Amino acid sequence: MDYNALAQKLFPEIDKTPDYWEEKYPQRELREGARVTRFAPSPTGFLHFGNLFTCLVSYKTAKDTDGVFYVRVEDTDQKRKVEGAIEVMLKGLSVYGIVPDEGVVAEDTEKGDYAPYYQSRRKEIYQTYAKSLVEQGLAYPCFMTPEELDEIRSAQESESIKGIWGKWAKHRDLTFDEIEEHLKNGEQWTLRLKSPGSTEGKCRFDDLIRGKIEMPENVQDVVLLKSDGIPTYHFAHAVDDHLMRTTHVMRGDEWIASVPIHLQLFRVLGFKPPKYAHVAPIMKEENGGKRKLSKRKDPEAKVTYYAEQGFPKESVTEYIMTLANSNFEDWRRVNQNENIDKFPVNLKKMSVSGALFDMVKLTDVSKNVICKMSAEKVFSLSYEWAKEYCSELAKLYEQDTERATAILNIDRENKKPRKDIAKWSDIPEYISYMYDETFVPCYELTGNATPALAVKVLEKYKDTVNLDDDKDTWFGRIKDMCESVGCTPNVKEFKQNPEAFEGHVGDVSTIIRVALTGRTNTPDLYSITALLGADRVQKRIDNALSHYKEEA
Ligand code: GLU
């Protein structure tokens, strides 16, 4: 067989050789050990939380080693293409600080020396390598029709090795004349690998997450180019990751089964294979079992969910690190204020069975992140969020932005800040009593407080409260009034002799707190009182008084 003639017949318009591309896309000049990683999405426009997770780890893997992280768009399936998808996906990543060094950096915009980064623009490159394989007798045109392939599929139902191989690879050894005949008839063809594998052969590799893996060698004559000349994922993966000089391929573990095909392709193409890290999907607990976090069932599977809910990006990235590496939390305890970029991510510590998504944990992580933020930061981030997702909150803020910031500063910027806020959408409820528009009175009392005691306390407090007092003076006045309402300022004393008092200073405070905020548990009441202002304080006490008078 004259393979050169065959190659020329199949790819007449390809005049380049692999050497041309090898020279055009040389080895990268990076320091020893630098890792080149990539995100290779199909342009569906949907960014799954699992994508963000893998991307963040991939991105950090590159950054930790002064390497390169790039984005390649796998758009060979034009039917699945969604307008504006890339913009949505890149924006989703950039929110979390993932900005590619090169590749597709905006819709239709490529940056870097290894372009094009859209697979749909790389047809000539794939075909050059395909042609070269034909020249070497390592690939062949297959003219089997979809019907024939279907028949083989049904005939192979009970076979352990499926696909086109052995006796099923009917066109593997066609003669030049036979091929010419098929071509003359105008028959469609795909290009198949002439697999050099044997059924006894083994494929061994070291997965960076899973460790050593051994699988049967590939024997299938897999399709390299579809009948429209577009490559399959397998072929494009080998050509692209080689020419873009990817060192570490991090991808979903659904690709593990294909590794024997991929390693064989790298071998026949004469490429050094990359290192693989197959990332298990993010799981979710359900009815005592585990299942994959689902795009259809779980709102939190969509990356935009976190922005909509108002989780700050720092919280999400911190949480993702806890999912990625179990030692992250220990590192965080020791390096409380360190930038997360300093945490060295370790692929070997990633879960093989799939990290478990836990909203309670995310909430916890986020509370810890937010409680360390300054009031200004909380204000500005939540205001940005509100402008997009909660106009009611934005309007409240806009009444007086300084007051809003002061409200958010209550019990903040101290040694033990409160942890009430996990996401910006918690704020409207958290601060609702600070605004007349959203204050919902509730006069339920706890402890020893009764409506009758409330009447006495509030009448007294109404006269004594002075918004010019400092905190100690203010609290001093509350203690001082205890006796006159039959309570004791001393909780211990009350406990020793409860019969002698109607309540203690805690009950007195509760009555005031409930009157002013409608709640029994709030941050610092002194600050709240001061920020409510004299008019609101008087009005709310009056309303509470009339309520309790009726009740008493
Ligand atoms: N486009 C492939 C996917 O979305 C990429 C897999 C890979 O990273 O190689 O599954």
Side-chain angles (χ1 to χ4, degrees):
M1 161 82 88
D2 183 347
Y3 290 123
N4 281 325
L6 176 61
Q8 194 53 30
K9 196 153 205 73
L10 295 176
F11 302 100
E13 58 300 340
I14 295 298
D15 55 7
K16 298 196 170 61
T17 63
D19 284 346
Y20 173 86
W21 301 115
E22 296 293 330
E23 237 167 81
K24 184 165 160 105
Y25 304 118
Q27 289 294 344
R28 293 169 182 271
E29 281 171 30
L30 297 170
R31 76 154 165 85
E32 180 79 24
R35 296 175 169 193
V36 180
T37 64
R38 84 299 190 271
F39 176 43
S42 301
T44 59
F46 184 89
L47 198 62
H48 191 285
F49 182 75
N51 291 138
L52 177 63
F53 173 74
T54 306
C55 262
L56 202 62
V57 175
S58 228
Y59 179 75
K60 270 193 65 57
T61 297
K63 294 289 132 189
D64 287 351
T65 56
D66 305 322
V68 174
F69 173 81
Y70 71 89
V71 170
R72 176 175 72 231
V73 174
E74 309 220 319
D75 58 346
T76 52
D77 188 353
Q78 293 288 325
K79 281 194 287 305
R80 285 179 61 201
K81 205 172 157 193
V82 178
E83 231 27 70
I86 292 304
E87 210 62 55
V88 171
M89 298 176 96
L90 289 173
K91 187 169 168 248
L93 295 183
S94 74
V95 168
Y96 299 100
I98 305 176
V99 178
D101 300 307
E102 65 174 58
V104 179
V105 292
E107 194 92 46
D108 227 3
T109 311
E110 303 182 76
K111 170 181 154 193
D113 296 336
Y114 294 81
Y117 297 91
Y118 280 97
Q119 287 187 330
S120 58
R121 300 176 186 174
R122 300 173 63 78
K123 200 164 165 180
E124 189 187 8
I125 303 177
Y126 303 123
Q127 299 212 344
T128 306
Y129 283 89
K131 185 174 185 179
S132 158
L133 289 180
V134 175
E135 282 166 359
Q136 298 168 74
L138 296 169
Y140 65 91
C142 170
F143 299 91
M144 282 197 276
T145 60
E147 293 74 34
E148 281 176 278
L149 292 169
D150 276 347
E151 270 169 36
I152 292 178
R153 221 165 282 133
S154 338
Q156 283 182 333
E157 250 163 38
S158 54
E159 300 276 330
S160 60
I161 307 176
K162 305 199 194 299
I164 302 308
W165 72 287
K167 67 172 177 188
W168 314 101
K170 289 191 199 146
H171 295 170
R172 183 175 167 122
D173 298 312
L174 292 183
T175 64
F176 190 86
D177 291 344
E178 285 168 330
I179 291 173
E180 248 192 340
E181 194 58 35
H182 282 290
L183 290 172
K184 253 194 223 133
N185 292 341
E187 287 174 43
Q188 298 252 348
W189 56 276
T190 57
L191 190 76
R192 286 189 186 272
L193 170 72
K194 200 178 270 182
S195 170
S198 79
T199 48
E200 292 82 48
K202 291 277 177 255
C203 165
R204 293 182 187 90
F205 71 102
D206 208 349
D207 187 275
L208 293 174
I209 295 173
R210 297 167 172 257
K212 292 202 183 332
I213 296 183
E214 184 181 288
M215 284 192 266
E217 190 179 27
N218 174 57
V219 294
Q220 289 185 41
D221 287 355
V222 290
V223 174
L224 304 178
L225 296 179
K226 294 179 251 184
S227 54
D228 52 6
I230 299 291
T232 54
Y233 169 78
H234 305 311
F235 191 52
H237 155 52
V239 172
D240 291 344
D241 281 314
H242 166 69
L243 287 181
M244 294 179 184
R245 311 295 171 180
T246 311
T247 63
H248 290 65
V249 168
M250 309 195 59
R251 60 184 180 187
D253 66 2
E254 69 273 19
W255 292 111
I256 281 203
S258 306
V259 173
I261 296 174
H262 299 158
L263 289 178
Q264 194 170 67
L265 277 174
F266 277 89
R267 201 163 55 176
V268 298
L269 285 160
F271 302 158
K272 177 172 182 251
K275 292 205 162 59
Y276 288 106
H278 287 97
V279 182
I282 304 286
M283 307 299 278
K284 193 173 164 159
E285 225 157 48
E286 193 181 61
N287 307 328
K290 278 209 269 175
R291 63 163 173 80
K292 283 188 200 169
L293 190 64
S294 146
K295 174 173 162 175
R296 269 182 308 108
K297 291 190 207 154
D298 309 310
E300 68 271 31
K302 200 173 177 182
V303 166
T304 47
Y305 168 85
Y306 303 90
E308 283 159 16
Q309 292 291 310
F311 282 103
K313 66 172 200 296
E314 292 90 332
S315 303
V316 178
T317 42
E318 290 270 324
Y319 179 59
I320 287 183
M321 277 305 134
T322 68
L323 287 178
N325 274 187
S326 52
N327 58 325
F328 173 73
E329 284 175 89
D330 290 339
W331 178 87
R332 182 44 96 205
R333 262 188 288 279
V334 180
N335 302 280
Q336 298 228 356
N337 299 315
E338 194 63 271
N339 189 312
I340 195 165
D341 293 344
K342 293 271 161 36
F343 173 70
V345 74
N346 185 343
L347 300 180
K348 291 208 163 57
K349 289 206 161 77
M350 287 179 71
S351 166
V352 170
S353 57
L356 204 56
F357 185 92
D358 179 359
M359 193 51 97
V360 175
K361 177 85 189 178
L362 167 63
T363 301
D364 236 41
V365 166
S366 192
K367 283 180 175 174
N368 277 315
V369 167
I370 293 178
C371 82
K372 290 198 197 97
M373 289 180 180
S374 68
E376 271 76 23
K377 186 162 181 186
V378 172
F379 173 76
S380 72
L381 292 179
S382 59
Y383 184 32
E384 280 313 304
W385 171 83
K387 280 192 268 187
E388 196 164 346
Y389 299 105
C390 183
S391 56
E392 297 84 0
L393 179 66
K395 272 194 215 116
L396 291 182
Y397 277 0
E398 282 157 9
Q399 291 176 3
D400 182 344
T401 55
E402 252 172 62
R403 177 171 182 261
T405 311
I407 291 171
L408 294 167
N409 198 34
I410 300 176
D411 284 346
R412 181 175 293 282
E413 298 184 29
N414 58 29
K415 265 210 187 111
K416 261 193 113 219
R418 280 177 68 105
K419 299 179 182 175
D420 300 282
I421 307 170
K423 51 190 186 299
W424 308 138
S425 52
D426 292 342
I427 293 183
E429 158 72 10
Y430 172 64
I431 63 170
S432 63
Y433 54 80
M434 296 306 293
Y435 293 89
D436 293 334
E437 293 85 337
T438 48
F439 171 54
V440 184
C442 168
Y443 297 117
E444 261 167 56
L445 296 167
T446 54
N448 309 296
T450 59
L453 179 61
V455 171
K456 282 193 272 177
V457 167
L458 292 175
E459 267 174 350
K460 197 95 204 150
Y461 185 67
K462 187 174 153 61
D463 292 341
T464 52
V465 61
N466 178 351
L467 268 69
D468 294 330
D469 285 347
D470 62 26
K471 189 168 176 175
D472 290 340
T473 316
W474 168 83
F475 193 54
R477 283 187 207 271
I478 291 181
K479 280 195 198 153
D480 288 349
M481 62 187 252
C482 281
E483 240 169 85
S484 66
V485 296
C487 294
T488 164
N490 188 330
V491 183
K492 241 193 214 156
E493 189 182 18
F494 177 84
K495 281 192 179 147
Q496 280 161 2
N497 198 1
E499 307 302 311
F501 306 100
E502 283 191 51
H504 55 73
V505 65
D507 300 309
V508 172
S509 299
T510 297
I511 289 167
I512 299 168
R513 191 185 305 276
V514 168
L516 295 184
T517 68
R519 299 183 193 185
T520 51
N521 179 9
T522 69
D524 178 42
L525 187 58
Y526 168 74
S527 312
I528 291 174
T529 311
L531 283 165
L532 281 173
D535 289 351
R536 272 195 205 91
V537 168
Q538 290 299 332
K539 214 166 88 204
R540 290 189 188 183
I541 291 177
D542 286 340
N543 289 343
L545 266 173
S546 36
H547 174 89
Y548 291 127
K549 276 181 183 160
E550 246 173 60
E551 217 183 314

